[in-house]
Amino acid sequence: ERCQFYSNTARGVDHQGTLGTFKNCLIHSNGTDGFYSANGSQTLWHCTIALNAGDGLEQASGTINVRNSILAFNTQVGLRWIA
C-alpha cells in the first residue's frame, strides 16, 4: 500500500504469483512495462501507471481487477491482455 515503483531499467512490477493487492501505488518512468502480471489474481486500487516505456499494464494470464486507477501516457498501450 502507498508504494512507488519507478526508474527501473525494465518493468516496474513483474508479478508472477498467486495473489497480489496494490493500493494507492504510483508506477511510472520504467524502462519497459509499468506492471506485468502472469498467473493468479491481482488487484490494483487507486493506482497510477504512467510514463512507462512499454505498456502501462500487461496481463499475460490469470485475472486482474483494476478499480479507480489511471493508466496514461505510456509509450505502448495502457492495458494489454494476452490470452
Side-chain angles (χ1 to χ4, degrees):
E1 198 166 328
R2 297 181 188 261
C3 51
Q4 291 189 46
F5 302 93
Y6 63 95
S7 297
N8 294 291
T9 56
R11 295 174 174 146
V13 176
D14 189 332
H15 193 273
Q16 299 184 41
T18 54
L19 296 172
T21 300
F22 298 82
K23 294 181 181 177
N24 300 310
C25 292
L26 179 57
I27 303 168
H28 69 93
S29 306
N30 293 292
T32 60
D33 302 330
F35 191 102
Y36 174 83
S37 176
N39 303 319
S41 177
Q42 279 59 253
T43 301
L44 284 84
W45 288 1
H46 305 284
C47 293
T48 297
I49 303 174
L51 302 169
N52 296 290
D55 300 326
L57 170 60
E58 183 176 324
Q59 176 72 14
S61 61
T63 60
I64 192 161
N65 292 306
V66 180
R67 295 183 179 191
N68 298 322
S69 295
I70 298 169
L71 287 84
F73 305 112
N74 296 289
T75 302
Q76 300 295 316
V77 297
L79 171 62
R80 183 182 309 268
W81 175 260
I82 300 171

